[in-house]
Amino acid sequence: MAEDEIDDLIDWDELEEKESKDRINSGVPIGTDIQRALRDECLMVSPYVRMEVGAGTRFDLVMFIPDGMPFIVDSPQYAHCWEKFRKIYCKRKWGDIQNNYRISFEEIEKRKKELRDKHKGEPYFYPEVPTYRYKDKEYMIEEDFWRSNAKKELAMCDQTDCEWWNKIQKVHKEEREKYGFMDGLHIFEIKSDKDKHDLLIHQIPNMIGIADYVWLVLGENQPIPEWLPPYVSVMRFKDGKFIIEHKNKLEITQPPTYKDAMKMQGYRIESKEEYSLHRLFRLWRINSMFHYQFEGQIIIDMEEEIDKLMSFLERAKKYKNKNESKKFQRNLFNYEDTKDTENISGDLNGT
């Protein structure tokens, strides 16, 4: 089994949860504590939540709520079950299968004792016995068990009919109705009580280029920077809860892309195509943020913008080919070069 596949089977969040809660309860929460708590809050609003999107982006967490769902109350129909892995298998089922088909501790210890007795006197002997048994066949380790037919026969995902999934969606629906976030792309930067504001001046420009909401999430005693722009929303983490102190939706303006500038290059672009490229890159970036997390599922549709640009490119190509053909014919019959013309005249006159 590949390393990333094994990693999918481990619930790292559960392993970290106790340590994180202990730090929050016993002292001042650090940035990663607030980040995990914020992620859990955001997952009550939308399945599209990701921490540490990338070093180049310079923000801590991003959440996307699809357009057309103000105060979202239902997950999108194509919402991805976060217990699904390898596209078709259920992580929860596989965990249950491992427990149900694991050979009992008593049997393992008994067989180990038998091997030790059999190899008594061999100083470097270490008894190894199978860990799993399925259909009368035994497997030494989880990787061997994974290669069996157990996953195909017992761990297939049935998301639409999954009792656990439907229950989770019902709970999340109730939580989202209570929480009431707005639709759009939310980007969060966290500054705990132990952090400084030095980098914010560089981080904010990266966020406002694509976000509908930019959030500065502060520790309980962290002051709001005096220079903070009014379009940055502020949320504070206090006593294990998030309190919104200021909220503002950004008005994302398009950069100037005048049709006349394109016309000067010999191309005609229609009004509906004028800003498609800028919008496409924004939607492309949003899809890219969650692409691998949701195994290639479409997060936000880009087809309309792509169609507009394709229409422009096809028209531009035809226009270019037509004009290049005219230019070629013009040069073919109107070609003049003084030096070559004089040579040809001389040859015709016998000189």
Side-chain angles (χ1 to χ4, degrees), residues 123-319:
Y124 300 107
F125 175 76
Y126 179 80
E128 294 183 354
V129 299
T131 308
Y132 302 94
R133 184 187 295 119
Y134 179 68
K135 289 188 174 180
D136 298 325
K137 188 174 180 179
E138 296 182 337
Y139 304 90
M140 296 296 294
I141 58 176
E142 181 191 331
E143 184 175 353
D144 297 331
F145 187 36
W146 172 257
R147 294 193 182 101
S148 73
N149 289 328
K151 63 181 185 297
K152 293 182 180 179
E153 295 174 359
L154 302 173
M156 299 294 286
C157 172
D158 57 349
Q159 181 174 330
T160 54
D161 298 321
C162 176
E163 181 180 348
W164 173 84
W165 171 254
N166 292 330
K167 181 180 178 181
I168 290 295
Q169 292 308 297
K170 181 181 179 181
V171 172
H172 284 189
K173 177 179 178 179
E174 293 171 354
E175 292 291 345
R176 285 192 294 269
E177 287 176 332
K178 179 180 178 181
Y179 206 94
F181 253 119
M182 289 61 63
D183 62 16
L185 184 68
H186 299 252
I187 295 181
F188 304 83
E189 176 59 30
I190 298 167
K191 297 297 180 186
S192 72
D193 289 346
K194 297 184 179 182
D195 293 329
K196 297 180 179 180
H197 294 150
D198 299 358
L199 295 178
L200 271 177
I201 195 169
H202 305 290
Q203 294 168 314
I204 290 174
N206 279 327
M207 296 187 281
I208 63 174
I210 57 171
D212 296 298
Y213 294 88
V214 170
W215 293 90
L216 176 61
V217 184
L218 300 173
E220 181 175 347
N221 300 308
Q222 180 70 272
I224 300 175
E226 293 182 2
W227 53 264
L228 190 71
Y231 51 75
V232 176
S233 303
V234 178
M235 185 186 300
R236 191 173 297 278
F237 185 67
K238 183 177 181 180
D239 298 327
K241 297 181 180 180
F242 292 94
I243 302 169
I244 296 176
E245 295 188 355
H246 168 67
K247 180 182 67 181
N248 184 75
K249 183 171 183 178
L250 295 172
E251 294 294 333
I252 300 177
T253 57
Q254 309 290 351
T257 50
Y258 301 120
K259 291 189 291 184
D260 289 341
M262 188 68 75
K263 186 177 180 181
M264 294 298 293
Q265 298 292 314
Y267 299 105
R268 180 176 60 84
I269 188 167
E270 298 179 4
S271 298
K272 64 181 181 180
E273 302 163 343
E274 191 175 351
Y275 296 114
S276 291
L277 182 60
H278 178 76
R279 287 197 297 269
L280 176 61
F281 275 123
R282 179 174 183 268
L283 302 183
W284 190 351
R285 190 170 180 182
I286 293 172
N287 273 326
S288 298
M289 287 177 176
F290 303 97
H291 179 79
Y292 292 105
Q293 181 181 355
F294 290 92
E295 301 183 0
Q297 296 190 39
I298 295 174
I299 307 302
I300 182 170
D301 187 28
M302 302 187 293
E303 187 173 356
E304 181 179 355
E305 310 304 333
I306 293 173
D307 285 344
K308 290 175 184 175
L309 286 172
M310 290 299 295
S311 175
F312 165 69
L313 292 173
E314 289 174 2
R315 189 175 66 252
K317 185 177 180 180
K318 290 178 182 178
Y319 180 86

Side-chain angles (χ1 to χ4, degrees), residues 44-58:
M44 297 180 185
V45 182
S46 170
Y48 304 125
V49 178
R50 186 175 174 186
M51 299 195 320
E52 298 177 351
V53 175
T57 53
R58 298 193 180 189

